[in-house]
Amino acid sequence: MALRTLINRKTLTTTVPLGFRGLQTFSLPDLPYDYGALEPAISGEIMQLHHQKHHQAYITNYNKALEQLDAATTKGDASTVVKLQSAIKFNGGGHVNHSIFWNNLAPVHEGGGEPPKGSLGWSIDNSFGSLEALIQKMTTEGAALQGSGWVWLALDKEFKRLVVETTANQASCVLLFLQDPLVTKGPSLVPLLGIDVWEHAYYLQYKNVRPDYLKNIWKVINWKYASEVFEKENP
Amino acid sequence: MTSRSGFSARSSNENVAAKIELKAPPYPLDALEPHMSRKTLEFHWGKHHRSYVDNLNKQIVGTELHGKTLEAIIVNTYNKGDLHPSFNNAAQVWNHDFFWESMKPGGGGVPNGELLELIKRDFGSFEEFEKEFKTAAATQFGSGWAWLVYKAQDNKLLVIKTPNAVNPLVLDYYPLLTVDVWEHAYYLDFQNRRPDYLSVFMENLVSWEAVSSRLQLAKAQAAQT
């Protein structure tokens, strides 16, 4: 396959007609940078496929599942409502996760790779010892993840601490249960930074060598965005 | 333990420190072109499959698993779903062996003989089986495999899908055919287009001879138990 042309930032908003009851459906958000802008860490070819094909497919299938859910709910079809949950979790999770991910990345000339300052930087040092230690931890856990999934830096709002977690497939960080059996969380986890370790996120460039992808992605991580999210939760 | 794989035991010489070996596909790496590229085989077999073998050997050396057959290691480390760390590597070694042998140059098309009769009996028609198999493979969220299996208790053929490294050996089915739907299996040739990969697999790659002989072996083994 030859996708050598680096296409400029595309506006790919799909207009989806609202249903009779004003059902909210979703459309592909623009990337805040050109497809080729993250090179050499992540190739333009991967960025374009990842955005236009993979993320778009999650949105298309999420919208379809939501429409089916709407119809089933209206009809009072309980078993269909239940059967749709996995499609909603998978495709909706995919949409949520990738929307966060595009903001987690930035070209070097727009601050990609610049270490976090301010309260997030301080909190990272406090929780992990140093930024290098956090990076090492996320890299190791991301590399060790079997199959498809994500590695996250998240803020636990209830305990006011930063945590590193992994999720399988498109499970959302916010649905995560902490390992402590005494405590069940989920909605109190706020994702700050997620790294996609599905093979589609790196395969064309890094092939089987996921550790190289993880080593290089830190050069384009947008700590500014993570800081903004952190400071909003921690005024 | 009864071997359900249809091949002979991997490490037959008890005296030699029994390492798990990387078995080559039964055809050259470019033999499946243009349907599955040589480049894909070089990475998929030469890197991924090889890593599973190497990492498994590192994990089992000096443990009670060392010297056991691959299938015994798989069942042991599956541990009824509470996976031991080496399960992923062990099962993936086996799964990939089974996958290479599920394909052949000039494969695809329709089976014949008893296999075709049983497919028609249990799925309605070959087309309906193919649709169910491709749907299972296309809808396995994330990484995994789709399988045609023989369920001895019901004397029936079934299509199932499994996540990551899980395979029919641990689910008490006899595996007959598989397709790998981890992204690394098709990304170089098809990128995101998993359905296209599955169509090409069915039309051009499936070795129905392998599936038929596995079915014969499965029925013979089931009759003995």
Side-chain angles (χ1 to χ4, degrees):
Chain A
M1 110 152 250
L3 241 190
R4 301 286 169 233
T5 319
L6 296 177
I7 298 170
N8 288 330
R9 178 193 326 184
K10 307 256 291 197
T11 309
L12 274 172
T13 332
T14 352
T15 314
V16 183
L18 298 180
F20 290 123
R21 298 180 334 137
L23 177 68
Q24 172 69 59
T25 51
F26 296 88
S27 57
L28 188 68
D30 287 347
L31 288 197
Y33 38 77
D34 293 345
Y35 288 127
L38 304 181
E39 298 207 341
I42 306 177
S43 72
E45 187 183 22
I46 285 180
M47 290 305 294
Q48 182 165 4
L49 276 169
H50 205 172
H51 183 242
Q52 286 184 7
K53 303 291 181 186
H54 292 275
H55 189 174
Q56 179 62 65
Y58 289 125
I59 288 171
T60 302
N61 293 327
Y62 185 36
N63 286 337
K64 198 160 69 174
L66 289 175
E67 281 160 12
Q68 290 170 335
L69 177 67
D70 194 48
T73 309
T74 308
K75 280 194 292 190
D77 181 355
S79 74
T80 300
V81 168
V82 172
K83 273 191 265 187
L84 284 167
Q85 295 311 308
S86 72
I88 286 170
K89 194 164 147 187
F90 180 69
N91 291 297
H95 172 49
V96 167
N97 291 343
H98 285 84
S99 300
I100 296 171
F101 187 49
W102 308 136
N103 288 319
N104 287 152
L105 303 171
V108 169
H109 63 81
E110 284 173 30
E114 267 173 34
K117 306 179 181 58
S119 56
L120 177 59
W122 182 89
S123 189
I124 286 173
D125 288 346
N126 204 39
S127 302
F128 301 100
S130 64
L131 179 64
E132 290 66 39
L134 168 64
I135 287 175
Q136 180 64 36
K137 186 173 170 66
M138 288 184 75
T139 299
T140 302
E141 296 202 16
L145 193 150
Q146 308 282 15
S148 309
W150 293 74
V151 57
W152 300 95
L153 172 67
L155 168 65
D156 180 340
K157 281 197 291 189
E158 187 164 331
F159 282 128
K160 294 196 179 356
R161 62 178 183 189
L162 295 176
V163 293
V164 168
E165 294 290 349
T166 54
T167 55
N169 295 342
Q170 295 299 349
S172 172
C173 189
V174 300
L175 293 179
L176 201 64
F177 297 104
L178 288 183
Q179 270 97 24
D180 181 350
L182 298 177
V183 177
T184 300
K185 302 272 180 217
S188 69
L189 278 191
V190 178
L192 303 177
L193 165 61
I195 299 180
D196 190 346
V197 293
W198 281 64
E199 286 171 330
H200 64 240
Y202 60 88
Y203 205 80
L204 292 180
Q205 184 176 356
Y206 293 96
K207 312 293 190 303
N208 58 304
V209 195
R210 192 193 285 176
D212 280 359
Y213 159 68
L214 289 169
K215 199 173 68 164
N216 285 315
I217 199 171
W218 296 105
K219 300 172 188 169
V220 289
I221 290 294
N222 182 11
W223 287 108
K224 278 193 271 194
Y225 173 78
S227 291
E228 283 164 23
V229 177
F230 181 76
E231 281 160 23
K232 206 156 63 162
E233 300 292 339
N234 264 333
Chain B
M1 72 159 279
T2 317
S3 163
R4 292 187 170 197
S5 61
F7 359 107
S8 45
R10 298 182 68 81
S11 359
S12 47
N13 185 343
E14 261 79 294
N15 293 332
V16 175
K19 252 179 36 157
I20 301 296
E21 298 293 331
L22 175 66
K23 236 170 123 182
Y27 36 75
L29 297 186
D30 62 356
L32 303 180
E33 294 252 7
H35 314 295
M36 184 177 284
S37 66
R38 177 175 57 89
K39 195 165 169 206
T40 289
L41 266 294
E42 281 173 354
F43 281 99
H44 199 176
W45 175 75
K47 305 281 184 186
H48 291 271
H49 193 178
R50 189 184 301 277
S51 288
Y52 291 128
V53 171
D54 292 346
N55 291 333
L56 176 63
N57 282 325
K58 281 189 221 153
Q59 278 174 319
I60 65 176
V61 74
T63 74
E64 53 165 20
L65 296 173
H66 192 199
K68 288 196 153 60
T69 65
L70 183 61
E71 291 175 17
I73 296 172
I74 289 168
V75 172
N76 181 302
T77 57
Y78 181 69
N79 197 23
K80 298 190 184 138
D82 184 15
L83 308 183
H84 188 272
S86 39
F87 172 78
N88 196 69
N89 287 319
Q92 285 291 81
V93 172
W94 189 95
N95 294 341
H96 285 85
D97 285 340
F98 195 79
F99 180 49
W100 308 133
E101 302 203 5
S102 293
M103 296 187 287
K104 65 168 206 178
V110 183
N112 51 26
E114 189 190 2
L115 176 58
L116 182 61
E117 290 318 302
L118 291 183
I119 285 177
K120 284 181 183 170
R121 182 196 70 183
D122 293 337
F123 294 96
S125 66
F126 178 78
E127 288 68 34
E128 280 166 80
F129 151 71
E130 191 178 40
K131 185 159 167 233
E132 194 174 323
F133 186 77
K134 284 165 74 173
T135 300
T139 58
Q140 173 53 36
F141 289 158
S143 308
W145 303 77
W147 307 84
L148 173 65
V149 301
Y150 173 65
K151 187 178 181 191
Q153 300 93 316
D154 300 347
N155 186 32
K156 214 174 162 268
L157 298 181
L158 294 171
V159 163
I160 65 169
K161 57 188 180 185
T162 57
N164 293 352
V166 177
N167 67 29
L169 298 181
V170 303
L171 301 173
D172 224 40
Y173 299 129
Y174 289 89
L176 303 179
L177 169 66
T178 195
V179 65
D180 188 349
V181 293
W182 284 61
E183 286 176 325
H184 64 239
Y186 58 89
Y187 213 83
L188 295 180
D189 295 339
F190 294 94
Q191 295 79 58
N192 59 301
R193 293 169 287 121
R194 193 192 287 186
D196 287 352
Y197 159 64
L198 298 172
S199 292
V200 167
F201 176 80
M202 294 307 297
E203 284 160 31
N204 301 286
L205 293 173
V206 175
S207 169
W208 289 114
E209 289 82 359
V211 180
S212 285
S213 65
R214 288 160 175 172
L215 176 63
Q216 295 317 310
L217 187 64
K219 290 175 72 183
Q221 287 178 344
Q224 282 166 18
T225 54

